[in-house]
Short mmCIF file of all heavy atoms in Angstrom, two decimals:
data_model
loop_
_atom_site.label_atom_id
_atom_site.label_comp_id
_atom_site.label_asym_id
_atom_site.label_seq_id
_atom_site.Cartn_x
_atom_site.Cartn_y
_atom_site.Cartn_z
N ASN A 1 108.36 88.81 78.56
CA ASN A 1 108.21 87.50 78.17
C ASN A 1 108.97 86.53 78.99
O ASN A 1 108.66 85.29 79.04
CB ASN A 1 108.84 87.45 76.78
CG ASN A 1 107.92 88.17 75.74
OD1 ASN A 1 106.71 87.88 75.53
ND2 ASN A 1 108.46 89.07 74.83
N LYS A 2 109.90 86.92 79.74
CA LYS A 2 110.71 86.00 80.61
C LYS A 2 110.29 86.17 82.06
O LYS A 2 110.28 84.96 82.84
CB LYS A 2 112.16 86.50 80.42
CG LYS A 2 113.25 85.45 81.03
CD LYS A 2 114.51 85.95 80.72
CE LYS A 2 115.72 85.08 81.32
NZ LYS A 2 117.06 85.45 81.03
N TYR A 3 110.02 87.32 82.61
CA TYR A 3 109.73 87.32 84.06
C TYR A 3 108.41 88.09 84.36
O TYR A 3 107.95 88.91 83.52
CB TYR A 3 110.91 88.03 84.71
CG TYR A 3 112.16 87.26 84.72
CD1 TYR A 3 113.36 87.96 84.15
CD2 TYR A 3 112.24 85.96 85.11
CE1 TYR A 3 114.66 87.34 84.20
CE2 TYR A 3 113.51 85.26 85.12
CZ TYR A 3 114.66 85.93 84.70
OH TYR A 3 115.91 85.21 84.76
N ILE A 4 108.11 87.95 85.54
CA ILE A 4 107.10 88.93 86.19
C ILE A 4 107.71 89.71 87.16
O ILE A 4 108.57 89.36 87.96
CB ILE A 4 106.09 87.89 87.05
CG1 ILE A 4 105.38 86.91 86.10
CG2 ILE A 4 105.06 88.89 87.96
CD1 ILE A 4 104.61 85.81 86.90
N TYR A 5 107.38 91.18 87.22
CA TYR A 5 108.02 92.00 87.94
C TYR A 5 106.97 92.79 88.89
O TYR A 5 106.13 93.33 88.53
CB TYR A 5 108.62 93.25 87.15
CG TYR A 5 109.69 92.71 86.17
CD1 TYR A 5 109.27 92.10 84.80
CD2 TYR A 5 111.06 92.74 86.40
CE1 TYR A 5 110.19 91.69 83.92
CE2 TYR A 5 111.96 92.26 85.48
CZ TYR A 5 111.39 91.62 84.21
OH TYR A 5 112.38 91.21 83.37
N GLY A 6 107.26 92.67 90.18
CA GLY A 6 106.27 93.28 91.09
C GLY A 6 106.89 94.14 92.05
O GLY A 6 107.87 93.97 92.74
N LEU A 7 106.30 95.45 91.96
CA LEU A 7 106.85 96.55 92.77
C LEU A 7 106.25 96.46 94.12
O LEU A 7 105.14 96.70 94.26
CB LEU A 7 106.51 97.92 92.14
CG LEU A 7 107.03 99.22 92.79
CD1 LEU A 7 108.46 99.21 92.87
CD2 LEU A 7 106.37 100.43 92.17
N PHE A 8 107.08 96.22 95.11
CA PHE A 8 106.48 95.94 96.51
C PHE A 8 106.55 97.10 97.47
O PHE A 8 107.56 97.79 97.50
CB PHE A 8 107.18 94.76 97.09
CG PHE A 8 106.63 94.27 98.38
CD1 PHE A 8 105.49 93.45 98.31
CD2 PHE A 8 107.16 94.62 99.66
CE1 PHE A 8 104.82 92.88 99.42
CE2 PHE A 8 106.47 94.14 100.80
CZ PHE A 8 105.28 93.39 100.70
N CYS A 9 105.49 97.34 98.07
CA CYS A 9 105.33 98.58 98.93
C CYS A 9 105.78 98.16 100.42
O CYS A 9 106.79 98.64 100.91
CB CYS A 9 103.88 99.09 98.95
SG CYS A 9 103.65 100.46 100.05
N GLY A 10 104.95 97.48 101.13
CA GLY A 10 105.32 96.96 102.52
C GLY A 10 105.14 98.07 103.56
O GLY A 10 105.77 97.92 104.61
N ARG A 11 104.43 99.15 103.16
CA ARG A 11 104.21 100.32 104.29
C ARG A 11 102.74 100.55 104.30
O ARG A 11 101.97 100.19 103.47
CB ARG A 11 104.81 101.64 103.59
CG ARG A 11 106.42 101.50 103.48
CD ARG A 11 106.91 102.73 102.68
NE ARG A 11 108.43 102.63 102.77
CZ ARG A 11 109.19 101.95 101.97
NH1 ARG A 11 108.71 101.15 101.13
NH2 ARG A 11 110.54 102.08 102.16
N ASN A 12 102.39 101.01 105.55
CA ASN A 12 100.96 101.16 105.82
C ASN A 12 100.53 102.56 105.33
O ASN A 12 101.34 103.35 104.97
CB ASN A 12 100.63 100.89 107.20
CG ASN A 12 101.44 101.83 108.26
OD1 ASN A 12 101.70 102.97 108.00
ND2 ASN A 12 101.95 101.17 109.43
N ARG A 13 99.15 102.82 105.61
CA ARG A 13 98.75 104.18 105.12
C ARG A 13 99.31 105.43 105.81
O ARG A 13 99.69 106.34 105.09
CB ARG A 13 97.14 104.08 105.46
CG ARG A 13 96.55 105.42 104.92
CD ARG A 13 95.00 105.15 104.98
NE ARG A 13 94.13 106.35 104.57
CZ ARG A 13 94.01 107.39 105.41
NH1 ARG A 13 94.30 107.38 106.61
NH2 ARG A 13 93.25 108.40 104.91
N GLU A 14 99.62 105.26 107.07
CA GLU A 14 100.12 106.44 107.74
C GLU A 14 101.68 106.64 107.26
O GLU A 14 102.01 107.85 107.10
CB GLU A 14 100.28 106.16 109.29
CG GLU A 14 100.73 107.31 110.13
CD GLU A 14 100.68 107.03 111.60
OE1 GLU A 14 100.16 105.89 112.03
OE2 GLU A 14 101.18 107.97 112.33
N GLU A 15 102.35 105.65 107.08
CA GLU A 15 103.72 105.81 106.61
C GLU A 15 103.83 106.45 105.16
O GLU A 15 104.57 107.25 104.91
CB GLU A 15 104.46 104.34 106.52
CG GLU A 15 104.77 103.87 107.83
CD GLU A 15 105.23 102.46 107.83
OE1 GLU A 15 104.78 101.72 107.08
OE2 GLU A 15 106.13 102.08 108.73
N LEU A 16 102.77 106.03 104.33
CA LEU A 16 102.69 106.61 103.02
C LEU A 16 102.38 108.08 103.02
O LEU A 16 102.87 108.95 102.21
CB LEU A 16 101.75 105.83 102.11
CG LEU A 16 102.24 104.34 101.88
CD1 LEU A 16 101.01 103.57 101.14
CD2 LEU A 16 103.38 104.37 100.94
N LEU A 17 101.42 108.37 103.87
CA LEU A 17 100.92 109.89 104.03
C LEU A 17 102.06 110.81 104.56
O LEU A 17 102.15 111.99 104.23
CB LEU A 17 99.79 109.85 104.96
CG LEU A 17 98.47 109.43 104.34
CD1 LEU A 17 97.36 109.36 105.48
CD2 LEU A 17 98.04 110.21 103.18
N ASN A 18 103.04 110.26 105.42
CA ASN A 18 104.01 111.01 106.09
C ASN A 18 105.41 110.94 105.39
O ASN A 18 106.47 111.46 105.99
CB ASN A 18 104.15 110.68 107.62
CG ASN A 18 102.92 110.91 108.34
OD1 ASN A 18 102.24 111.96 108.09
ND2 ASN A 18 102.57 110.16 109.19
N SER A 19 105.30 110.39 104.25
CA SER A 19 106.71 110.28 103.53
C SER A 19 106.44 110.26 102.12
O SER A 19 105.32 109.95 101.58
CB SER A 19 107.48 109.00 103.90
OG SER A 19 108.49 108.71 103.19
N GLU A 20 107.46 110.57 101.37
CA GLU A 20 107.47 110.41 99.84
C GLU A 20 107.86 109.13 99.29
O GLU A 20 107.93 108.82 98.21
CB GLU A 20 108.38 111.51 99.34
CG GLU A 20 107.93 113.07 99.41
CD GLU A 20 108.88 114.01 98.76
OE1 GLU A 20 109.96 113.58 98.31
OE2 GLU A 20 108.61 115.20 98.89
N ILE A 21 108.23 108.33 100.24
CA ILE A 21 108.63 106.85 99.92
C ILE A 21 107.42 106.01 99.80
O ILE A 21 106.53 105.83 100.78
CB ILE A 21 109.75 106.34 101.01
CG1 ILE A 21 110.78 107.21 101.27
CG2 ILE A 21 110.21 104.87 100.54
CD1 ILE A 21 111.67 107.45 100.03
N ASN A 22 107.40 105.32 98.69
CA ASN A 22 106.33 104.33 98.46
C ASN A 22 106.86 102.94 98.36
O ASN A 22 106.68 102.12 99.09
CB ASN A 22 105.58 104.79 97.17
CG ASN A 22 104.38 103.85 96.78
OD1 ASN A 22 104.42 102.66 97.09
ND2 ASN A 22 103.24 104.46 96.36
N SER A 23 107.59 102.79 97.24
CA SER A 23 108.15 101.37 96.96
C SER A 23 109.66 101.53 96.37
O SER A 23 109.82 102.24 95.51
CB SER A 23 107.38 100.65 95.89
OG SER A 23 105.93 100.56 96.49
N THR A 24 110.44 100.80 96.98
CA THR A 24 111.83 100.80 96.47
C THR A 24 112.47 99.44 96.17
O THR A 24 113.56 99.29 96.14
CB THR A 24 112.85 101.46 97.55
OG1 THR A 24 112.64 100.74 98.80
CG2 THR A 24 112.39 102.95 97.79
N THR A 25 111.54 98.39 96.06
CA THR A 25 111.90 97.02 95.92
C THR A 25 111.06 96.41 94.83
O THR A 25 109.94 96.47 94.75
CB THR A 25 111.84 96.11 97.09
OG1 THR A 25 112.64 96.86 98.14
CG2 THR A 25 112.37 94.77 96.90
N VAL A 26 111.72 95.74 93.90
CA VAL A 26 111.04 94.98 92.84
C VAL A 26 111.43 93.44 93.00
O VAL A 26 112.57 93.18 93.04
CB VAL A 26 111.37 95.49 91.38
CG1 VAL A 26 110.75 94.54 90.33
CG2 VAL A 26 111.00 96.86 91.15
N TYR A 27 110.39 92.64 93.17
CA TYR A 27 110.63 91.25 93.12
C TYR A 27 110.38 90.71 91.85
O TYR A 27 109.40 90.95 91.22
CB TYR A 27 109.75 90.45 94.27
CG TYR A 27 110.09 91.04 95.70
CD1 TYR A 27 109.14 91.68 96.42
CD2 TYR A 27 111.34 90.71 96.05
CE1 TYR A 27 109.52 92.05 97.77
CE2 TYR A 27 111.63 91.12 97.48
CZ TYR A 27 110.66 91.77 98.14
OH TYR A 27 110.97 92.13 99.61
N VAL A 28 111.28 89.69 91.36
CA VAL A 28 111.22 89.21 90.04
C VAL A 28 111.07 87.76 90.16
O VAL A 28 111.71 86.91 90.87
CB VAL A 28 112.62 89.51 89.18
CG1 VAL A 28 112.47 88.96 87.77
CG2 VAL A 28 112.81 91.01 89.31
N PHE A 29 110.05 87.14 89.30
CA PHE A 29 109.76 85.83 89.34
C PHE A 29 109.61 85.26 87.94
O PHE A 29 109.44 85.96 87.02
CB PHE A 29 108.30 85.52 89.92
CG PHE A 29 107.99 86.27 91.13
CD1 PHE A 29 107.48 87.66 91.28
CD2 PHE A 29 108.41 85.78 92.41
CE1 PHE A 29 107.21 88.27 92.44
CE2 PHE A 29 108.19 86.46 93.64
CZ PHE A 29 107.60 87.72 93.62
N ASP A 30 109.86 83.98 87.75
CA ASP A 30 109.61 83.32 86.51
C ASP A 30 108.10 82.84 86.43
O ASP A 30 107.46 82.98 87.44
CB ASP A 30 110.58 82.13 86.23
CG ASP A 30 110.43 80.92 87.20
OD1 ASP A 30 109.39 80.86 87.80
OD2 ASP A 30 111.54 80.35 87.43
#
């Protein structure tokens, strides 16, 4: 009700395939 929460990736396909890391940052907006 207060904010928009966006889970940001910022990684390409190769990086995602070769790692268990997907997204570690959430940007919050009104």
Side-chain angles (χ1 to χ4, degrees):
N1 288 312
K2 191 175 182 181
Y3 294 128
I4 299 166
Y5 303 83
L7 179 65
F8 190 74
C9 178
R11 294 170 173 81
N12 61 36
R13 184 172 178 272
E14 185 177 356
E15 289 171 323
L16 294 174
L17 288 173
N18 295 324
S19 171
E20 294 179 355
I21 304 299
N22 184 322
S23 304
T24 57
T25 304
V26 175
Y27 294 116
V28 183
F29 313 91
D30 62 24

